[in-house]
Amino acid sequence: MEEQKKPRKPVISYWIIALCIFLLLQAFVFPNLFNGRVKEVGYDTFISMTENKEIGSVQIESSQITFTDKDEKQVYRTGVLNDPDLISRLYDSGAKFEAEIDNGTSPLVYILISYILPIALMVLVFYFFNKKMAQRMGGDGGSMMFGMGKSNAKVYVKSTTGIKFQDVAGEEEAKELLAEIVDYLHKPERYKEIGASMPKGALLVGPPGTGKTLLAKAVAGEANVPFFSISGSEFVEMFVGMGAAKVRDLFKQANEKAPCIVFIDEIDAIGKKRDGGQFGGGNDEREQTLNQLLTEMDGFDGSKGVVILAATNRPEALDPALLRPGRFDRRIPVELPDLQGRIDILKVHAKKIKLAGNVDFAAIARTAAGASGAELANIINEAALRAVRLGRSCATQEDLMESVEVVIAGYQKKNRVLSNKEKLTVSYHEVGHALVAALQTQSAPVQKITIIPRTSGALGYTMQVEEGEHFLMTKTEMENKIATLTGGRAAEALIFKEITTGASNDIEQATKLAHAMVSRFGMCDEFGMVTMEATQNQYLGGDASLSCSMETQTRIDQKISEIIQEQYNRATALLQANTPKLHEIAKYLYEHETITGEEFMQILNRPQITAQPAAQ
Ligand code: ADP
Ligand code: MG
Ligand code: ZN
């Protein structure tokens, strides 16, 4: 990718060059300063050396006396005293001596040469480099010294990113909205004729890794206009006011280059809500920067053709002033890809690696439910790496499937050896999950069960795969999911009459689900349709803050444990009724370590054989 970027580091080296020039100059103007031969001595030494006839030559100047020893090897210097006998004493000693001839060099000239000239030279050097840098940036010239307060925006000119909309898979709505903006910048007359004006700003919102930055780069690649790209954090400066200056500079440049696009990535770094400032005045610098941004966005005239794009995964944290009409009034959601989107993203990235012919993208996409574009790109890359590791010339379906697990659950931990007893416990635990899932009609079928430990810490896991996509979940489905989560612990308790720490993650997830049922989805009769929490980071895990009294909170907690207990009992009952199958499948898993969904269903559906616990 070719981009024009102002180098930052070289500023330091320019300083060093200038310092060298200064030192060199000093060396010529005050040669003595760098001459180790000059030795400062007192006037008494001078007199005694004169009397002892140790002096070679003497030069008397208006403010100092420089003299040498007999062999003229060592140069001495001393001050001038009112000494009427000096001349006769020198004459007696036989030294050569002379006075400085005042040929009209006034102190003014002296100061000029030794101080002002070097400084002037230094300024000139800086001005020169500054101007050079500004030219490289395509800017106007060194308006500010040393690049401080400069926006540092990367400027992409004329589709140099090489990324086009076709490189972004899925996200059709987002692409459509962005394509409209590109179209407007290319043919503004068509819009003006009708009287339509483009929104000044568009905000790309969505979870991390869904391709927001990529989309913006694609816009740069599609639009034949300059594209300024800067990250919100680059505005955050050490000095108060610097960030605001950068914003000003960015918009100044953008106005000059209009029509153009300005892209501010991770805008939440500067666009966070301004607080009342009751705690020590808040963050002054950030607020100033934000205020400047707001002012600039109001200041320019939309018809000029400057469009501002921004991306964030925390839209709710943004200052409301940024979102009001006239600023970022177009919101472009960039969501996690659906099944088709995942297939398309896999295909886009698969072009970059060598693949075996029989790869089934749909199967991989189905397994990787909930994965973001970035994770899918990673899955493809991991598969290629695995193929190399295993000495293959192309990546196969198996590589891809394994790398899905790597991305979801971490690498296989070959050197962690579980004791047989532990392995057996994990087998029953995982089969407990799978069996409960399979026995509930609405639960998704099992894709794979494994008891090979992973680097993420999981000792085994059950991979469930939804056949189709779901956008709504019924209450029964949520309950079934909780039952499945409790299935692991239920199996342990049922078979070993003892429970282990292996269920911690299940407990966490089950609690989250039950919590959401009560406080967010109104799925419990006691509270009904009352929301008791507000989601805060919908794209970043969705922290929620409770908005209810302590008393209600206690009741919520109680309700949650009731829900989970109920499902736990149901899971236990299901397993109890199918204990022979539990033994059979757990035994099989214990022996094979990994079983596929088909094997699992086969064992589950074949006629019952006599119940027999797995080998202890
Ligand atoms: P974010 O939304 O966090 O800005 P990025 O745009 O940085 O995400 O995406 C990271 C990487 O993930 C991209 O460089 C690309 O390789 C991959 N990616 C994400 N979404 C897509 C997509 N829709 N199509 C193709 N690749 C994608
Ligand atoms: Mg990004
Ligand atoms: Zn579990």
Side-chain angles (χ1 to χ4, degrees):
M1 188 189 310
E2 189 191 316
E3 66 192 35
Q4 303 187 343
K5 190 188 172 193
K6 192 177 68 167
R8 282 207 91 182
K9 272 204 198 107
V11 173
I12 295 164
S13 54
Y14 293 150
W15 269 103
I16 292 169
I17 293 171
L19 198 73
C20 290
I21 292 174
F22 182 70
L23 288 179
L24 270 172
L25 252 158
Q26 279 284 18
F28 284 118
V29 177
F30 302 116
N32 291 346
L33 209 70
F34 292 86
N35 200 332
R37 295 195 311 142
V38 179
K39 197 168 158 191
E40 301 257 3
V41 291
Y43 202 76
D44 52 339
T45 319
F46 174 55
I47 292 176
S48 67
M49 281 175 77
T50 320
E51 309 224 298
N52 299 341
K53 298 193 181 8
E54 286 168 353
I55 289 187
S57 66
V58 182
Q59 172 145 29
I60 301 162
E61 292 162 30
S62 53
S63 62
Q64 65 176 22
I65 298 170
T66 323
F67 58 97
T68 65
D69 56 9
K70 261 264 152 359
D71 344 316
E72 308 223 334
K73 278 216 177 98
Q74 175 72 53
V75 181
Y76 298 90
R77 188 165 62 200
T78 186
V80 175
L81 279 185
N82 185 11
D83 182 359
D85 301 332
L86 177 64
I87 307 296
S88 58
R89 228 181 291 130
L90 277 175
Y91 190 74
D92 291 344
S93 76
K96 287 188 269 177
F97 64 98
E98 58 182 4
E100 178 193 32
I101 302 163
D102 187 357
N103 50 10
T105 322
S106 70
L108 208 70
V109 174
Y110 180 74
I111 289 172
L112 199 83
I113 289 176
S114 53
Y115 293 102
I116 297 181
L117 195 73
I119 291 173
L121 254 162
M122 231 162 79
V123 171
L124 241 142
V125 166
F126 276 124
Y127 182 76
F128 176 72
F129 281 122
N130 209 33
K131 193 150 179 160
K132 257 245 149 109
M133 284 192 291
Q135 272 169 359
R136 257 204 257 176
M137 234 193 110
D140 52 342
S143 56
M144 222 172 283
M145 279 277 257
F146 317 141
M148 272 177 167
K150 280 278 184 186
S151 65
N152 295 320
K154 284 179 196 161
V155 189
Y156 299 98
V157 197
K158 280 200 188 138
S159 55
T160 45
T161 63
I163 296 172
K164 298 271 181 181
F165 279 143
Q166 73 198 37
D167 296 311
V168 187
E171 311 298 353
E172 296 304 329
E173 304 77 21
K175 280 197 275 188
E176 211 168 284
L177 290 170
L178 290 169
E180 193 185 18
I181 291 175
V182 172
D183 185 57
Y184 167 75
L185 290 175
H186 287 171
K187 300 184 218 103
E189 324 80 45
R190 269 186 44 201
Y191 290 78
K192 268 182 205 146
E193 231 164 70
I194 303 185
S197 65
M198 257 296 123
K200 275 186 188 173
L203 188 64
L204 296 160
V205 296
T210 45
K212 297 182 294 297
T213 309
L214 189 71
L215 271 166
K217 282 186 183 157
V219 170
E222 296 276 346
N224 269 320
V225 297
F227 186 89
F228 296 84
S229 167
I230 188 164
S231 170
S233 58
E234 283 175 59
F235 288 115
V236 182
E237 284 279 332
M238 190 163 39
F239 304 110
V240 172
M242 247 32 250
K246 278 189 170 180
V247 172
R248 221 172 298 132
D249 181 70
L250 176 65
F251 279 86
K252 191 169 146 241
Q253 286 187 48
N255 259 322
E256 282 161 9
K257 289 253 156 51
C260 68
I261 299 168
V262 174
F263 174 55
I264 307 175
D265 206 355
E266 315 285 351
I267 196 173
D268 41 288
I270 49 165
K272 258 189 252 146
K273 278 196 184 81
R274 289 165 288 187
D275 40 31
Q278 56 273 62
F279 304 111
N283 187 339
D284 244 8
E285 161 64 0
R286 220 196 55 224
E287 250 169 56
Q288 277 194 21
T289 312
L290 175 57
N291 283 334
Q292 188 65 41
L293 181 65
L294 296 176
T295 316
E296 295 288 352
M297 285 193 76
D298 283 343
F300 70 81
D301 153 24
S303 63
K304 224 181 150 189
V306 180
V307 173
I308 302 160
L309 290 181
T312 181
N313 37 38
R314 308 185 51 202
E316 61 288 311
L318 290 183
D319 198 283
L322 262 180
L323 303 173
R324 77 145 171 74
R327 289 173 186 148
F328 290 106
D329 39 12
R330 183 173 276 189
R331 218 181 225 241
I332 304 180
V334 187
E335 297 287 350
L336 285 175
D338 55 11
L339 181 60
Q340 190 55 46
R342 290 198 297 275
I343 295 175
D344 293 341
I345 294 174
L346 284 172
K347 282 185 180 158
V348 163
H349 288 277
K351 280 187 203 136
K352 297 173 196 159
I353 67 167
K354 269 203 189 122
L355 273 183
N358 62 344
V359 169
D360 179 3
F361 287 111
I364 301 154
R366 229 176 285 126
T367 317
S372 68
E375 279 165 328
L376 292 167
N378 196 11
I379 285 171
I380 295 282
N381 191 47
E382 282 290 341
L385 288 174
R386 186 170 186 269
V388 175
R389 211 178 303 135
L390 299 181
R392 294 207 198 100
S393 60
C394 62
T396 62
Q397 181 78 5
E398 193 200 336
D399 292 325
L400 283 162
M401 277 303 191
E402 174 59 29
S403 69
V404 172
E405 283 177 58
V406 166
V407 172
I408 293 174
Y411 290 94
Q412 289 189 0
K413 219 168 184 172
K414 296 239 172 60
N415 52 0
R416 172 175 290 174
V417 183
L418 294 182
S419 71
N420 288 347
K421 169 81 182 152
E422 278 172 331
K423 218 169 118 184
L424 198 65
T425 311
V426 176
S427 301
Y428 274 101
H429 178 107
E430 296 306 333
V431 175
H433 283 307
L435 206 52
V436 172
L439 291 171
Q440 301 170 122
T441 42
Q442 274 127 314
S443 267
V446 180
Q447 157 102 19
K448 181 176 177 178
I449 313 172
T450 161
I451 52 166
I452 299 171
R454 295 271 160 177
T455 45
S456 65
L459 295 179
Y461 65 90
T462 305
M463 205 190 254
Q464 284 193 46
V465 176
E466 331 254 327
E467 273 306 327
E469 287 266 2
H470 285 277
F471 300 101
L472 278 178
M473 246 178 132
T474 63
K475 187 178 172 189
T476 317
E477 280 169 336
M478 289 198 84
E479 283 171 349
N480 284 349
K481 210 162 175 185
I482 296 174
T484 303
L485 285 165
T486 59
R489 165 66 61 90
E492 285 178 40
L494 190 68
I495 304 297
F496 301 101
K497 312 278 178 261
E498 174 71 288
I499 52 178
T500 65
T501 53
S504 62
N505 187 30
D506 304 335
I507 293 170
E508 200 181 310
Q509 283 190 45
T511 311
K512 239 189 211 163
L513 272 175
H515 195 285
M517 280 176 75
V518 177
S519 63
R520 219 161 357 127
F521 302 132
M523 283 182 178
C524 107
D525 304 330
E526 193 180 336
F527 297 109
M529 286 173 64
V530 177
T531 181
M532 268 155 295
E533 59 175 27
T535 333
Q536 272 174 342
N537 286 324
Q538 54 166 327
Y539 294 124
L540 299 172
D543 307 338
S545 65
L546 279 171
S547 56
C548 56
S549 67
M550 289 297 269
E551 195 196 326
T552 316
Q553 211 170 322
T554 318
R555 272 162 58 213
I556 291 176
D557 288 339
Q558 200 164 2
K559 198 75 210 165
I560 291 170
S561 68
E562 270 171 37
I563 291 176
I564 295 176
Q565 190 59 44
E566 197 185 316
Q567 295 312 318
Y568 179 77
N569 292 343
R570 207 158 65 84
T572 310
L574 276 173
L575 291 174
Q576 214 149 19
N578 292 276
T579 319
K581 283 291 172 202
L582 177 60
H583 284 310
E584 202 182 336
I585 303 171
K587 186 179 169 192
Y588 188 86
L589 177 63
Y590 177 81
E591 282 160 7
H592 291 77
E593 296 200 336
T594 301
I595 60 174
T596 64
E598 285 105 65
E599 285 173 294
F600 177 85
M601 291 315 279
Q602 223 174 1
I603 305 174
L604 186 65
N605 291 331
R606 77 182 171 209
Q608 194 95 33
I609 51 165
T610 40
Q612 183 183 70
Q616 293 272 341

